[in-house]
Amino acid sequence: MSVFQKTGPLSVLHAFIDASRWRVSPENDAPARTGMISLYVLETGGCEGCAMEVESLCGSAFALERYGFRRVADPADADWLLVTGAMSRACVQMLDRVWKAMPPGKSLVAVGACAIDGGLFGAGYATLGGLKALTQVRKTIPGCPPSAQDILSGMQRLAGR
Amino acid sequence: MSEMGRIIRGGERVALSHYSLDAEQWEAMLAAPGATLSLLSCWADEHRVYVLLLEGDCPLIASTTMEERRYLAPSSRFPAAEWGERVAYDLWGVEAMSASGDGQPALDEGVWEATWPLSSRPGPGGQAARPVAGRTVLPAEKSGLTGPLELSFDVVRGKVQGVSVNAGLAHRGVLHRMIGLTPEESLPLVSRMTAGGFVAHPLAFCRAVAQARGLQPGPGVRDCWMILLEIERMSVHLFDMARTARSVDAGLLATHCEHAREAIASACAEQGISRRLTDLVRCDGFRVGLEIVPLAQAVVSAMQPRMAQLRELQSVFAPRLKGLAVLSPAQAREFAVGGLVGRASGRSLDVRRREAGMRLDALRSTGSSEGDGAARDALRLTEIRDSLALIQRILGSIGMDDDEPAPEATQEGIGVAEGARGDIWYWVRLRNGKIDAVQARDPSVSLLSVLPAVLQGETPERLPAALRSLALSPSGVAM
């Protein structure tokens, strides 16, 4: 345990060593990588709980790329659009803009109860009630919010892995 | 007592801290000589306008009736009231006279089904506003925040100027949905107000409900709530530190923050509760089956060994956040910015210090007056240290009685909780056991008013890092 408490000139080196030791999903549990799927994440007006879980999944605590997924910063590079949030009417333009920027062969994935059907917030003067109000959504990951591990498992299921 | 406070107390007392003023008293309050009380929130419905103020560390509500759907604007005295006035216009169509702002829509960008949707006379929906030509836009999906928030600005010599904020994209009408429900029925909605406050929002709400009902939570419930709040504070601070670190290429610090946050989540899951503490707080206490002592011990065990390394890494990467999104002490004071951001800018407001049963000796962080990203990050880590100390202090005397008397039941109450991102306030009015009126104030709202000044002079490339450092939550702003 003493190695974790070292401070001083070697602390950054220790931090490098410890970073892999504390990973939540050990890399050796991950299946061999097959075709990489690129993800673009979009929050459309929820509590941000699902968006924060996706952030966790894309961070260092999970070996996302070992499972065949990677996050991209530009929708033009994305295969899947991961949508979180209750789909506010004011966010429709944003969704449309991002969707059109994605290349052909793209897929829409609703992450969390709100993105699927509005969840607790439902439909109202300011919300549409999830993606189902706009289009048929075949790829869904339920939960309120789903954990990062749930999202990863859901994506593996949707990818047929 | 300030002159403004004296004028307010000259009105008719309708609840524990709520005074109803007539038009003359309202005008006198806005023109009161001497110090201006800190404004926490301003809101209105079709019949009344309200301001929630802070006098010392005590809340004070003043309200007055509308006259022909108009009222004298609180923003003529309190600049931060401007957001609430614009929200009131968008939802109810009530007008603030002599308002200080530009009158731009707060929530309604012309895409709703109806104009003034909550009004008794709603109009047809409008047309989506077009962006002003020639201005640079940071679209919502590129803001760097976890929720949608759009900025538009001019770029002069490579620097940002004249920032406008479109913060209404995440509006869901949550408060309106709560009307007519019992407090218990509305808790799931409150618990999903914003993910940075899965504990803090329902806690503030339940405290308001308890006050309205004339109840005082027992010391066991009080201490359980405090522990849950501190666990959430550590988790959210780690999230905000990680996100900020990523935006300045401090990946190693981000990595350790992310691992520490996952360790907290795993400790919660191993105790049989949700990883992010959702749906644990209830009006009468907490979820049945929650074992708070082993949970607290597990979280402390998960976090304590990581602190020295986190502190080292934070100090190594701190220079990258120096001078980022500076909120001056004067701005923090003028716009009543509380929470961690306020404390990193010289304000001392921490509502935990006024809570009955608080172990004050554990709260040792002294804040800063630097007001930049580095000061905020350093304070986040110091507050995590304090949270660990506070949890251990509570465990040492859990359920300690302090004989706090129950308030008088007036069917109206104010509740507050010091969430990770700042002080969260709820005001509720009950009628026949159901919610007749409700207002919530998330700390991000006070940041919104001062955001243009804080971002002025940054380069466009640094805006996502600046927004992440401020930890602004669009879902908390728009609700």
Side-chain angles (χ1 to χ4, degrees):
Chain A
M1 184 58 79
S2 62
V3 69
F4 300 126
Q5 295 171 346
K6 284 197 174 170
T7 56
L10 291 177
S11 60
V12 176
L13 176 61
H14 285 293
F16 270 112
I17 296 166
D18 294 346
S20 59
R21 184 187 172 96
W22 278 331
R23 189 182 285 282
V24 172
S25 55
E27 294 191 13
N28 55 9
D29 283 357
R33 187 192 328 177
T34 52
M36 189 69 81
I37 295 175
S38 299
L39 313 170
Y40 189 84
V41 185
L42 195 67
E43 161 67 28
T44 61
C47 74
E48 301 172 27
C50 298
M52 286 172 73
E53 289 303 313
V54 174
E55 286 294 328
S56 294
L57 176 60
C58 296
S60 304
F62 293 85
L64 186 62
E65 296 206 356
R66 289 279 298 173
Y67 291 87
F69 301 99
R70 70 173 167 214
R71 185 181 193 175
V72 294
D74 189 335
D77 299 325
D79 303 307
W80 287 8
L81 176 59
L82 266 54
V83 175
T84 62
M87 202 64 246
S88 76
R89 293 175 192 273
C91 283
V92 172
Q93 263 190 354
M94 174 176 69
L95 176 71
D96 185 55
R97 183 168 64 229
V98 168
W99 182 248
K100 283 179 176 162
M102 291 173 65
K106 56 201 171 187
S107 287
L108 189 61
V109 183
V111 178
C114 287
I116 295 170
D117 61 6
L120 280 171
F121 305 118
Y125 64 86
T127 51
L128 287 168
L131 284 171
K132 74 167 193 182
L134 289 174
T135 183
Q136 189 177 7
V137 185
R138 293 190 180 88
K139 292 182 170 150
T140 61
I141 299 173
C144 184
S147 68
Q149 186 62 51
D150 292 341
I151 298 169
L152 179 57
S153 302
M155 292 197 307
Q156 286 182 287
R157 171 178 51 82
L158 295 173
R161 293 174 178 159
Chain B
M1 187 191 300
S2 67
E3 180 63 14
M4 186 176 280
R6 193 191 61 74
I7 292 169
I8 292 170
R9 287 189 172 80
E12 180 193 357
R13 190 181 189 193
V14 294
L16 202 60
S17 309
H18 181 181
Y19 294 84
S20 172
L21 311 187
D22 60 28
E24 288 74 30
Q25 289 170 322
W26 184 261
E27 190 172 350
M29 175 191 76
L30 295 178
T36 301
L37 299 182
S38 293
L39 180 123
L40 294 167
S41 185
C42 166
W43 71 98
D45 56 27
E46 208 158 24
H47 308 292
R48 296 189 77 82
V49 55
Y50 305 77
V51 286
L52 170 59
L53 306 169
L54 203 56
E55 188 178 47
D57 60 358
C58 294
L60 189 60
I61 291 182
S63 69
T64 193
T65 52
M66 295 276 167
E67 291 180 9
E68 297 177 357
R69 306 174 67 83
R70 304 176 92 192
Y71 58 97
L72 190 56
S75 64
S76 60
R77 179 66 181 259
F78 309 98
E82 184 235 354
W83 169 257
E85 292 167 4
R86 290 194 286 142
V87 168
Y89 184 79
D90 285 356
L91 295 178
W92 299 95
V94 291
E95 295 177 28
M97 295 183 291
S98 307
S100 69
D102 57 10
Q104 291 295 306
L107 304 175
D108 184 5
E109 291 292 317
V111 294
W112 290 353
E113 274 185 327
T115 305
W116 309 339
L118 305 186
S119 154
S120 55
R121 291 178 290 168
Q127 278 198 321
R130 293 175 187 278
V132 179
R135 301 203 87 203
T136 305
V137 174
L138 181 67
E141 67 270 24
K142 301 214 181 281
S143 72
L145 296 172
T146 47
L149 181 122
E150 189 173 270
L151 300 180
S152 55
F153 48 86
D154 299 316
V155 181
V156 180
R157 296 191 189 93
K159 306 279 185 176
V160 166
Q161 286 194 0
V163 177
S164 301
V165 185
N166 176 3
L169 295 164
H171 180 66
R172 291 148 283 155
V174 188
L175 296 174
H176 175 63
R177 290 176 191 276
M178 293 165 63
I179 305 297
L181 303 178
T182 65
E184 287 75 12
E185 288 168 342
S186 65
L187 252 186
L189 285 167
V190 178
S191 301
R192 298 296 187 283
M193 203 64 87
T194 179
F198 279 151
V199 172
H201 266 274
L203 179 46
F205 173 74
C206 289
R207 285 173 171 164
V209 170
Q211 189 183 88
R213 289 170 168 169
L215 302 173
Q216 181 68 37
V221 168
R222 177 202 66 203
D223 284 350
C224 177
W225 283 354
M226 282 183 187
I227 289 174
L228 291 174
L229 198 57
E230 295 312 310
I231 296 173
E232 177 171 79
R233 185 181 322 283
M234 291 190 285
S235 176
V236 174
H237 277 350
L238 288 165
F239 180 82
D240 291 336
M241 286 180 70
R243 297 265 296 158
T244 308
R246 289 249 172 252
S247 58
V248 293
D249 294 328
L252 190 57
L253 172 59
T255 294
H256 279 260
C257 290
E258 287 159 354
H259 288 185
R261 185 165 186 260
E262 278 308 308
I264 293 176
S266 297
C268 294
E270 284 163 15
Q271 296 299 318
I273 60 170
S274 63
R275 287 159 37 92
R276 306 295 184 209
L277 307 176
T278 45
D279 302 314
L280 293 180
V281 176
R282 300 208 167 162
C283 291
D284 58 355
F286 46 86
R287 199 192 77 181
V288 176
L290 170 63
E291 295 287 345
I292 195 67
V293 173
L295 170 67
Q297 289 169 335
V299 169
V300 170
S301 299
M303 269 307 294
Q304 199 75 277
R306 298 165 188 267
M307 289 303 293
Q309 206 152 58
L310 284 169
R311 176 62 76 189
E312 282 289 311
L313 290 171
Q314 185 272 324
S315 63
V316 166
F317 292 107
R320 300 187 187 188
L321 298 172
K322 276 277 175 204
L324 178 70
V326 179
L327 174 70
S328 71
Q331 288 169 328
R333 219 173 19 253
E334 182 182 0
F335 289 90
V337 178
L340 179 129
V341 175
R343 288 192 288 279
S345 295
R347 288 198 87 210
S348 62
L349 180 68
D350 183 339
V351 296
R352 287 179 296 175
R353 295 181 194 278
R354 64 186 281 273
E355 287 177 16
M358 175 53 63
R359 281 64 162 181
L360 290 167
D361 54 323
L363 303 179
R364 307 202 70 85
S365 70
T366 53
S368 164
S369 57
E370 300 292 316
D372 62 1
R376 289 188 284 272
D377 242 23
L379 191 55
R380 284 187 177 108
L381 209 47
T382 308
E383 290 198 357
I384 292 173
R385 179 204 67 191
D386 284 359
S387 292
L388 288 168
L390 180 54
I391 290 172
Q392 289 168 308
R393 287 280 291 108
I394 294 171
L395 287 178
S397 58
I398 194 160
M400 180 181 68
D401 205 350
D402 59 5
D403 294 326
E404 186 73 9
E408 177 192 354
T410 61
Q411 303 306 304
E412 190 177 312
I414 302 172
V416 61
E418 184 70 36
R421 291 168 176 166
D423 43 324
I424 293 164
W425 295 80
Y426 273 79
W427 167 79
V428 293
R429 189 173 66 218
L430 305 177
R431 182 176 293 174
N432 300 324
K434 298 191 173 176
I435 295 174
D436 182 49
V438 60
Q439 175 64 20
R441 182 269 196 185
D442 188 85
S444 290
V445 171
S446 63
L447 271 177
L448 201 63
S449 306
V450 78
L451 200 57
V454 171
L455 298 180
Q456 176 109 348
E458 293 290 347
T459 59
E461 298 75 31
R462 294 237 297 179
L463 288 180
L467 291 170
R468 286 176 174 181
S469 170
L470 293 164
L472 197 136
S473 162
S475 58
V477 171
M479 294 185 183

